[in-house]
Amino acid sequence: MRKLEKIWMNGRLIDWDDAKIHILSHVIHYGSSMFEGIRCYETKRGSAVLFLKEHIRRLYDSAKIYRAEIPFTQLELRDAVIQTIQANHLASCYIRPLVFRGEGALGVNPLKSNVDVAIAVWEWGSYLGEGSLEAGVDVRVSSWRRIAPNTIPAGAKAGGNYLNSQLIKMEALSDGYVEGIALDMNGYVAEGSGENIFVVRDGIIYTPMSAQSLLPGITRAAVIRLAHALGYEVKETLLSRESLYIADEVFMTGTAAELTPVRSIDKYKIGTGERGDITKALQDAYFDVIRNGNDRFGWLTFVDPISVLQPLEELSEKN
Ligand code: PPE
């Protein structure tokens, strides 16, 4: 990872090298953190953060589930994200807001430890490999199940959840796959280690229900909205493992993964093995927002507000 300049910690920007915590911080011992992953894109209309409001809201939801009171308002953290991007002079980046239980007391009870907040940014290219957005990826169904309902809540984006994700990811990588798809407790399809999943058959788009041991992805919600806008039917439903193998198209969504086609699962070729038409149509709609800055749904927060004022037509003529 390339070192950058500043990290925002508890209300101020500090030098990258100074953003440290004590070894006895609660989070290190008990996984007590909640975090977000957000992307800032260099669109044709200027740099813009995608789904800033939605991600900060989910951070507060995750913190609420773990009874952690964030000592800032959502608006303050949204501003802090923008400040952190500007302080590091990046036109595009990945953004990691993090809320964690810091110093105070050890022992399982987190309530005696401080709630600390940090925001870091870094450069992050393609998540599932170069060329994966066009060619698609080869994945397996994991032998690890996703965390069961009413154990560790999959709907909170908490650090500890990612122990399960790490097992799924390492198993997939060691067997030569890019990613693993985890089934839920009952054997229904849940999600990847860091992505939601969609299946297309006979022109209908299916995705597992949000109560089903998965993180209700912000990209997932956006893709459902784009699909509706394009006139497709989307069904949130239980999905069997075998429905993956006989799908016409499968794709995965996430902030990091964006909208990545899946070309094989457990060595079953999905559809023709090429990126499917519906996957491509949804990618085109998604990339129109993040590359061209066409923001029909109010998903973008421009880092430099001046660029928002430039009419898009003039910009596209220049490009
Ligand atoms: N499920 C999981 C388990 C998950 O971690 C993510 C995001 C998603 C679904 C998709 O959610 P959303 O980004 O809101 O559409 N995973 C983040 C972390 C990746 C990482 O390696 O760290 C991400 O994509 O930023």
Side-chain angles (χ1 to χ4, degrees):
M1 178 190 275
R2 191 169 77 89
K3 180 176 141 178
L4 295 168
E5 287 171 54
K6 298 283 181 190
I7 290 181
W8 186 97
M9 249 180 126
N10 293 326
R12 50 194 196 98
L13 286 161
I14 58 174
D15 287 342
W16 179 278
D17 287 333
D18 294 335
K20 293 182 177 150
I21 61 168
H22 197 274
I23 194 69
L24 294 182
S25 296
H26 195 274
V27 60
I28 299 183
H29 301 251
Y30 305 108
S32 37
S33 66
M34 306 93 216
F35 68 96
E36 274 306 319
I38 316 176
R39 276 193 194 260
C40 173
Y41 288 98
E42 187 174 12
T43 79
K44 287 189 180 153
R45 309 188 74 187
S47 288
V49 181
L50 183 65
F51 308 130
L52 178 57
K53 209 166 144 188
E54 293 81 354
H55 282 283
I56 296 298
R57 179 174 181 218
R58 188 171 65 186
L59 184 66
Y60 278 73
D61 291 342
S62 302
K64 181 172 185 186
I65 292 168
Y66 284 100
R67 303 181 192 277
E69 244 181 77
I70 301 177
F72 298 95
T73 64
Q74 294 197 30
L75 201 60
E76 283 170 337
L77 285 199
R78 267 146 57 186
D79 280 349
V81 165
I82 302 293
Q83 275 176 39
T84 313
I85 297 167
Q86 287 169 335
N88 288 287
H89 311 288
L90 293 170
S92 67
C93 59
Y94 186 81
I95 306 152
R96 171 57 51 83
L98 178 73
V99 172
F100 61 97
R101 295 284 187 177
E103 293 179 55
L106 284 180
V108 170
N109 175 14
L111 301 172
K112 290 183 185 157
S113 297
N114 292 337
V115 176
D116 290 320
V117 188
I119 301 166
V121 297
W122 61 79
E123 293 159 306
W124 214 357
S126 143
Y127 187 58
L128 296 173
E130 274 314 309
S132 60
L133 292 173
E134 295 84 35
V137 290
D138 302 307
V139 308
R140 64 165 288 170
V141 171
S142 183
S143 72
W144 293 98
R145 293 290 169 93
R146 196 75 181 107
I147 37 185
N150 211 25
T151 59
I152 294 176
K157 193 169 170 69
N161 299 17
Y162 287 81
L163 287 171
N164 174 256
S165 290
Q166 287 173 44
L167 292 169
I168 295 163
K169 188 75 177 185
M170 289 188 291
E171 179 188 62
L173 293 176
S174 75
D175 288 351
Y177 298 93
V178 169
E179 183 56 290
I181 297 166
L183 307 179
D184 71 7
M185 261 280 277
N186 299 310
Y188 297 107
V189 177
E191 62 176 346
S193 77
E195 313 84 8
N196 292 118
I197 187 162
F198 287 79
V199 167
V200 180
R201 174 135 169 144
D202 294 338
I204 299 174
I205 303 170
Y206 300 89
T207 195
M209 293 177 290
S210 62
Q212 231 186 312
S213 301
L214 55 85
L215 181 73
I218 289 163
T219 321
R220 173 184 178 277
V223 164
I224 292 173
R225 193 149 174 206
L226 290 175
H228 286 151
L230 291 171
Y232 295 112
E233 188 181 346
V234 183
K235 289 188 178 166
E236 295 180 56
T237 180
L238 292 177
L239 282 176
S240 65
R241 175 173 182 167
E242 62 273 23
S243 71
L244 298 174
Y245 304 144
I246 58 171
D248 298 327
E249 304 178 28
V250 174
F251 60 88
M252 295 195 294
T253 63
T255 300
E258 299 174 317
L259 205 160
T260 303
V262 173
R263 68 177 174 200
S264 79
I265 303 175
D266 293 338
K267 300 208 159 74
Y268 286 93
K269 186 160 82 178
I270 303 304
T272 61
E274 308 266 302
R275 171 171 59 183
D277 293 343
I278 294 182
T279 306
K280 172 79 166 57
L282 291 168
Q283 278 186 334
D284 288 347
Y286 192 73
F287 292 139
D288 186 47
V289 180
I290 62 182
R291 293 188 182 151
N292 300 328
N294 281 332
D295 189 20
R296 282 200 285 158
F297 299 106
W299 289 342
L300 298 174
T301 303
F302 285 85
V303 175
D304 171 10
I306 294 165
S307 60
V308 189
L309 303 174
Q310 291 181 261
L312 189 60
E313 292 69 28
E314 280 175 31
L315 281 170
S316 15
E317 275 163 28
K318 271 187 248 151
N319 288 306

